């Protein structure tokens, strides 16, 4: 969809979600923005309103299935959603500890949170035979990188789910795109102590994502050097990839 008019974005209170919200904000555009931090969310809403958009915010936790379903359904009934961007996500692992609670929380927010956002919208979108779904995966979804096993696995599940969903929903004229960024400067990556190759700003990432969504691309993966590296790591024999990772590949 080249000019979506009603857009719902989760994880809009900072980082890539914030940049997307501000990027899409314009007169005639309705934005439903979600995040947990109400104060940060309101700041983003104010920036979007200043650009002429109509904005509604909701401080909700996407891992709460019932609340999220109520919110997205309520928005969709009031303003049928053209584009949903299931972006909320966390990277909580420290690379050393395998903590049961952190592993489960990562899946609950990244994977269940995505399902909680998208699934309640599908019946109405299918009836309307219209809509676009953007799922935030990661280049980390292509290979089991060290340091963040649960994060990588949650993103792999989102990516593959989205790639399959695209095939199913194309009969209903609903677009599905998976977004696979490399490293982007946000609160999520601020905690990384390692060197992040080809790090880019959230604003630049947003422009690339928006361009890809306007063309209904199946996969919006960037930047090219990181994309090429993870592709290579994915096609090499498992033992070779594992050896390379043990020598310091990070993601
Ligand atoms: N930065 C990167 O290098 C990179 C690369 C690939 C993919 N990604 C993905 O991009 C997405 C956005 O991350 P970011 O880098 O922009 O980091 P960020 O600045 O930390 O943004 C994460 C967003 O998700 C929201 N969020 C987290 N947990 C939530 C929950 N339980 N319920 C509702 N909202 C929640 C946060 O809102 P609150 O803080 O208000 O809860 C925030 O708005 C994530 O899915 C991430 O995995 C990032």
């Amino acid at each position: 969809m080249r000019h979506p008019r009603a857009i719902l974005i989760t994880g809009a209170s900072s980082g890539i979600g914030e940049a997307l919200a501000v990027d899409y904000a314009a007169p005639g555009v309705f934005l439903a923005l979600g995040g947990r931090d109400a104060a940060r969310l309101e700041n983003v809403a104010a920036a979007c309103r200043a650009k002429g958009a109509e904005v509604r915010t909701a401080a909700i936790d996407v891992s709460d299935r019932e609340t999220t379903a109520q919110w997205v359904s309520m928005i969709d009934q009031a303003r049928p959603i053209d584009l949903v961007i299931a972006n909320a996500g966390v990277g909580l692992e420290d690379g050393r500890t395998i903590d049961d609670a952190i592993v489960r929380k990562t899946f609950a927010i990244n994977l269940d949170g995505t399902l909680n956002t998208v699934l309640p919208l599908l019946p109405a979108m299918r009836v309307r035979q219209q809509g676009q779904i953007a799922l935030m995966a990661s280049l980390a979804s292509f290979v089991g990188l060290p340091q963040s096993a649960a994060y990588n696995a949650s993103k792999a599940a989102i990516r593959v789910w989205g790639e399959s969903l695209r095939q199913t929903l194309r009969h209903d004229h609903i677009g599905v795109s998976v977004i696979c960024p490399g490293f982007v400067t946000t609160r999520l990556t601020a905690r990384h102590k390692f060197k992040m190759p080809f790090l880019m700003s959230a604003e630049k990432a947003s422009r690339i994502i928006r361009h890809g969504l306007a063309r209904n691309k199946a996969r919006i993966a960037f930047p090219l050097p990181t994309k090429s590296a993870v592709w290579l790591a994915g096609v090499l024999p498992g033992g070779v990839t594992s050896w390379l990772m043990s020598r310091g590949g990070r993601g």
Side-chain angles (χ1 to χ4, degrees):
M1 198 172 287
R2 285 196 178 270
H3 301 291
R5 286 312 201 205
I7 305 167
L8 185 145
I9 306 173
T10 64
S13 58
S14 70
I16 300 171
E18 172 180 0
L20 282 164
V22 174
D23 209 353
Y24 277 110
V29 172
F30 169 74
L31 293 170
L33 306 179
R36 289 169 305 182
D37 188 311
R40 275 198 275 111
L41 200 54
E42 276 315 313
N43 285 340
V44 177
C48 295
R49 288 187 186 110
K51 289 185 72 186
E54 182 189 344
V55 185
R56 268 203 232 171
T57 58
I60 54 142
D61 184 332
V62 290
S63 64
D64 181 333
R65 179 176 169 181
E66 206 172 312
T67 311
T68 305
Q70 278 169 5
W71 175 56
V72 298
S73 303
M74 188 257 292
I75 294 288
D76 192 54
Q77 276 160 25
R79 305 291 286 264
I81 292 167
D82 295 323
L83 168 63
V84 54
I85 307 180
N87 165 73
V90 288
L92 302 169
E93 292 151 292
D94 67 9
R96 291 175 302 280
T97 328
I98 301 173
D99 182 301
D100 186 303
I102 286 186
V103 170
R104 289 176 195 282
K105 189 171 179 182
T106 302
F107 279 98
I109 296 175
N110 293 4
L111 180 56
D112 293 348
T114 297
L115 303 179
N116 295 344
T117 305
V118 172
L119 288 175
L121 293 171
L122 288 186
M125 276 189 175
R126 295 186 96 168
V127 169
R128 292 198 292 272
Q129 296 271 294
Q130 188 185 323
Q132 187 173 14
I133 298 164
L135 305 178
M136 182 56 77
S138 169
L139 284 182
S141 68
F142 288 94
V143 66
L145 297 165
Q147 312 293 333
S148 49
Y151 179 82
N152 296 347
S154 68
K155 294 298 182 182
I158 292 168
R159 179 174 60 77
V160 177
W161 185 60
E163 288 172 353
S164 293
L165 200 63
R166 181 178 172 92
Q167 302 311 321
T168 313
L169 291 180
R170 70 190 189 44
H171 304 293
D172 296 309
H173 310 287
I174 297 168
V176 181
S177 301
V178 290
I179 306 168
C180 301
F183 293 113
V184 180
T185 309
T186 65
R187 293 160 61 86
L188 188 145
T189 46
R191 52 194 292 283
H192 292 345
K193 293 187 176 58
F194 54 87
K195 193 168 175 292
M196 291 176 276
F198 307 105
L199 186 67
M200 72 167 67
S201 71
E203 290 72 25
K204 183 170 181 191
S206 170
R207 284 195 297 276
I208 294 169
I209 293 166
R210 194 174 166 185
H211 186 263
L213 290 177
R215 280 150 191 78
N216 188 27
K217 283 184 74 172
R219 187 187 289 166
I220 304 165
F222 58 93
L224 185 61
T226 321
K227 178 176 154 178
S228 308
V230 294
W231 175 81
L232 185 64
V235 296
L236 284 171
V240 177
T241 302
S242 175
W243 178 77
L244 286 171
M245 292 299 158
S246 69
R247 289 174 57 85
R250 309 288 299 254

